[in-house]
Amino acid sequence: MIETIINDINYRLDEDNLTAEVIRRKGVEYEGNIIIPETTVFNDVTYRVTSIGEHAFTNCSSLTSIVIPDSVTKIEAGTFKFCRRLTSIVIPDSVTIIGRYAFENCTSLTSIVIPNTVTHIGEGAFSDCAKLERVIVREGVTDIAIKAFYHSSALVDMSLPASLTSIGEDAFAYTAIKKITFGGSIREWKQMNTKKSGSEITVVCANGSTSSYR
């Protein structure tokens, strides 16, 4: 493995697989608008950027937007934690996992779309995102972990796909959600771990039937 800075972004390069991971740059905060390239070149060798590592952008309080390339498959734990000025981010269709507390306390983020390639939304991934109002979870997501959207107090709009099989405790606790639209059936909803929402939420299923979630 090689660690190196290329065009102001710190990478860990895997010489065997020719892949690159964006990692934290010690003593330096990324700021402004960041564009992560799909590939990067070191010593005339091209590496494909496939991961944004744990805490790579944690506490980058002046980071306002970031472009993630279609080559990235993982957003690791705590990647954007406490990026309080981050207002815009697009999760590309290549991403399969959003790690634990990846976007915790991104207090300027207002909306997010989870693409259908993502299967797992990690524990606390979008917790304490005070201005997050709207989340679209595409078909394909199977698991929303505990406290995934915990205390994102502005969150009012939530639509969940039929592919979902597990919701962790407190996933939507202390949000403003009153209704969840679910693409599956009441039976499928009740088979999931859907305990503890903080307040009563009405679940409207694809066939129009309803259930309560508390």
Side-chain angles (χ1 to χ4, degrees):
M1 294 287 186
I2 300 170
E3 290 190 15
T4 186
I5 297 170
I6 304 170
N7 295 327
D8 294 325
I9 296 177
N10 202 20
Y11 295 98
R12 182 181 291 116
L13 306 177
D14 184 334
E15 296 171 281
D16 295 327
N17 297 306
L18 298 181
T19 57
E21 178 181 44
V22 178
I23 61 174
R24 187 164 183 79
R25 189 172 172 184
K26 294 179 181 179
V28 175
E29 285 190 11
Y30 295 99
E31 58 184 26
N33 304 315
I34 298 291
I35 298 175
I36 299 174
E38 190 167 315
T39 60
T40 191
V41 178
F42 179 73
N43 286 346
D44 295 323
V45 177
T46 299
Y47 294 83
R48 186 171 175 81
V49 180
T50 59
S51 177
I52 304 177
E54 291 190 10
H55 303 285
F57 295 94
T58 293
N59 288 318
C60 290
S61 57
S62 295
L63 180 68
T64 55
S65 70
I66 188 162
V67 176
I68 301 174
D70 288 338
S71 55
V72 168
T73 60
K74 293 181 181 179
I75 299 175
E76 299 283 5
T79 297
F80 299 101
K81 190 174 181 178
F82 292 105
C83 290
R84 298 183 186 276
R85 294 184 186 177
L86 182 64
T87 59
S88 175
I89 189 164
V90 175
I91 299 173
D93 289 342
S94 54
V95 171
T96 60
I97 293 173
I98 299 174
R100 299 171 64 248
Y101 301 100
F103 295 91
E104 182 190 14
N105 251 289
C106 287
T107 52
S108 294
L109 201 62
T110 59
S111 65
I112 197 78
V113 176
I114 310 296
N116 59 12
T117 52
V118 171
T119 59
H120 175 72
I121 301 174
E123 176 184 344
F126 296 93
S127 59
D128 290 292
C129 293
K131 293 183 180 179
L132 185 63
E133 296 180 353
R134 186 166 182 259
V135 176
I136 297 174
V137 183
R138 301 290 193 199
E139 188 73 30
V141 174
T142 60
D143 176 35
I144 297 176
I146 63 172
K147 296 187 175 181
F149 297 93
Y150 183 86
H151 206 256
S152 289
S153 54
L155 186 57
V156 296
D157 189 351
M158 178 64 72
S159 179
L160 299 177
S163 57
L164 195 63
T165 59
S166 176
I167 300 175
E169 290 191 4
D170 290 328
F172 307 113
Y174 305 105
T175 67
I177 296 173
K178 299 298 182 185
K179 182 178 78 171
I180 289 175
T181 302
F182 176 55
S185 67
I186 287 289
R187 181 181 177 183
E188 289 168 328
W189 178 264
K190 290 182 176 180
Q191 286 175 340
M192 289 189 282
N193 177 13
T194 55
K195 297 177 181 178
K196 296 184 180 179
S197 68
S199 60
E200 185 166 315
I201 296 172
T202 298
V203 180
V204 180
C205 295
N207 64 358
S209 56
T210 62
S211 181
S212 62
Y213 171 32
R214 178 178 288 279

